[in-house]
Amino acid sequence: MKNIIVTGGAGFIGSNFVHWVVENRPGVHVTVLDKLTYAGNLENLAGVPDDRMDFVRGDICDAGLVDGLFAGADAVVHFAAESHNDNSIADPAPFVRTNVEGTFTLLEAARRHDVRFHHISTDEVYGDLALDDPARFTEETPYRPSSPYSSTKASSDLLVRAWVRTYGVRATISNCSNNYGPRQHIEKFIPRQITNVLCGIRPKLYGDGRNVRDWIHTEDHSSAVWAILEGGRIGETYLIGADGERSNIDVLRAILAEMGKAPDDFDWVRDRPGHDRRYAIDPTKLRRELGWRPAHVDFASGLRDTIAWYRDNRPWWEGAKEATEAKYAKQGQ
Ligand code: NAD
Ligand code: TDX
């Protein structure tokens, strides 16, 4: 694999993946295709040498553009999406367009040019688990998405499966749990709370704060995606997770402690409609088949580094803070 296209490579996880490939796979050239929506930022790709990457600003729904790019590619790793649940509740239209129609457009080009396709998805397609349920999601768990966001991701997964079976597209799918790390948009839980503290705003916790997310460092997501791209069986789904289950209130208290604040120095706010209770990934298949292991197993130290990144990179997020909080304020969150 010498030439790969990374869609959504200017976003949080996509840009971390591009940096990972450039650092760890010296023979690979990356073409990033990204629309630069509010969530995309070219600065996320700063430091990538010119001879390792081309950047194309464009929409994954633009069939002509996509077709031209796929003609010269060995593989595509598809991260581009509308990615935030709260936004999908306020306005689902761009989610249907980018996540469903965009994935369809890419699959059609992959079919025409016989390009290896890896689709990035989420554990949210499986719905949620009860807090007291010992079960975790596996590749066999039935799809039961709750939000407009997760239902469009589920739709895109189903399109990929159908294009494999019907047209023989050489595709794999990965469903990953909640990522954290540098360059995550400040609308998301962890960076929102860190930047709230840095701005003197009280952090905001939804509902009763007991909802559980299964956290993984974004670099571990990158290494898992590469392992699947190289060694995954065509047509298969792999769940990616790092045994990182934590309640939201525990994560918030860890942030508060690390940033020198009292444990109750936050506001309880209106719950998210349809809020999934718990996500939990069983990553056995990925570990057994591909020998993948996460490198970031110490959440406290990963969180400390993430806090330091936001402290040290204020210009990266400061411009978006006011608008992001104004949007939440309108929703009572
Ligand atoms: P993000 O919102 O930070 O980045 C999305 C990127 O896609 C942005 O750069 C944006 O400009 C680009 N984009 C959006 N619409 C586009 C379009 N129509 N054409 C081209 N580019 C477009 O998202 P993220 O958190 O980095 O998530 C990346 C992928 O990983 C998504 O597919 C998401 O569903 C999946 N995922 C995310 C998480 C998580 O915890 N954030 C967990 C599991 C899976
Ligand atoms: O201010 C907040 N307060 C709060 O309590 C925010 C923004 C969130 N929350 C809660 C809601 C969730 O239980 O924190 C948890 C995490 O919220 P998000 O960061 O919005 O993530 P989540 O909805 O779990 O979805 C994320 O993981 C799966 C990504 O955004 C998705 O793209 C991915 O598919």
Side-chain angles (χ1 to χ4, degrees):
M1 246 173 305
K2 289 212 158 28
N3 288 303
I4 67 168
I5 296 173
V6 175
T7 72
F12 163 48
I13 305 176
S15 67
N16 277 290
F17 179 75
V18 172
H19 285 285
W20 189 95
V21 171
V22 166
E23 275 155 37
N24 294 285
R25 293 296 179 271
V28 176
H29 182 272
V30 178
T31 301
V32 169
L33 170 60
D34 197 296
K35 189 179 174 181
L36 296 181
T37 66
Y38 79 97
N41 187 343
L42 259 186
E43 280 175 43
N44 291 345
L45 295 166
V48 176
D50 285 347
D51 60 342
R52 300 294 308 281
M53 184 191 75
D54 290 319
F55 180 81
V56 178
R57 183 171 192 180
D59 192 326
I60 57 167
C61 299
D62 180 341
L65 172 67
V66 165
D67 197 71
L69 291 175
F70 274 46
D74 301 315
V76 175
V77 186
H78 172 35
F79 291 90
E82 286 293 336
S83 68
H84 192 40
N85 274 298
D86 293 317
N87 293 344
S88 82
I89 294 166
D91 179 12
F95 288 75
V96 174
R97 185 172 148 73
T98 287
N99 300 359
V100 184
E101 197 184 322
T103 302
F104 161 75
T105 306
L106 297 173
L107 283 168
E108 284 290 84
R111 168 156 91 98
R112 272 193 299 275
H113 297 285
D114 188 27
V115 173
R116 169 84 173 85
F117 192 86
H118 182 71
H119 178 62
I120 302 294
S121 192
T122 168
D123 58 359
E124 297 190 20
V125 300
Y126 300 113
D128 61 354
L129 299 159
L131 293 181
D132 60 358
D133 187 344
R136 301 196 288 178
F137 299 138
T138 72
E139 288 77 6
E140 275 69 53
T141 304
Y143 273 38
R144 195 172 61 86
S146 319
S147 73
Y149 162 70
S150 55
S151 63
T152 59
K153 291 299 290 188
S155 308
S156 64
D157 293 11
L158 298 182
L159 290 177
V160 177
R161 289 181 183 196
W163 262 241
V164 169
R165 177 153 172 176
T166 306
Y167 303 116
V169 167
R170 294 179 292 126
T172 41
I173 300 175
S174 54
N175 297 80
C176 188
S177 61
N178 283 60
N179 284 221
Y180 75 99
R183 299 189 283 274
Q184 184 168 32
H185 195 278
I186 56 166
E187 67 193 353
K188 306 295 197 311
F189 179 57
I190 289 180
R192 184 183 182 204
Q193 313 314 336
I194 295 170
T195 55
N196 275 350
V197 174
L198 291 173
C199 291
I201 301 169
R202 281 161 72 86
K204 312 289 180 215
L205 192 62
Y206 294 175
D208 64 6
R210 293 176 64 221
N211 302 62
V212 168
R213 295 296 182 263
D214 190 351
W215 294 98
I216 182 172
H217 195 281
T218 188
E219 274 174 26
D220 288 330
H221 189 178
S222 295
S223 65
V225 167
W226 192 269
I228 298 165
L229 193 63
E230 264 183 352
R233 285 180 293 135
I234 297 304
E236 292 290 314
T237 287
Y238 295 86
L239 262 52
I240 304 175
D243 301 318
E245 277 188 73
R246 275 178 181 74
S247 69
N248 292 342
I249 190 157
D250 284 352
V251 172
L252 178 54
R253 290 229 156 101
I255 294 170
L256 290 167
E258 188 57 40
M259 299 186 79
K261 294 281 172 189
D264 290 325
D265 207 354
F266 67 88
D267 294 332
W268 299 97
V269 295
R270 190 175 76 88
D271 205 0
R272 173 184 284 172
H275 196 178
D276 281 338
R277 201 55 168 154
R278 170 175 159 251
Y279 304 140
I281 290 266
D282 177 352
T284 304
K285 179 177 175 181
L286 178 65
R287 291 181 183 219
R288 283 225 183 108
E289 265 189 33
L290 301 178
W292 174 83
R293 297 282 178 281
H296 295 265
V297 286
D298 180 354
F299 181 73
S301 115
L303 189 61
R304 207 173 306 128
D305 290 349
T306 304
I307 292 170
W309 191 86
Y310 285 91
R311 197 176 265 138
D312 294 345
N313 289 277
R314 244 188 134 100
W316 183 89
W317 55 266
E318 222 163 21
K321 187 65 182 166
E322 206 177 300
T324 304
E325 288 309 310
K327 205 147 90 176
Y328 276 122
K330 254 204 259 167
Q331 296 165 191
Q333 293 176 319

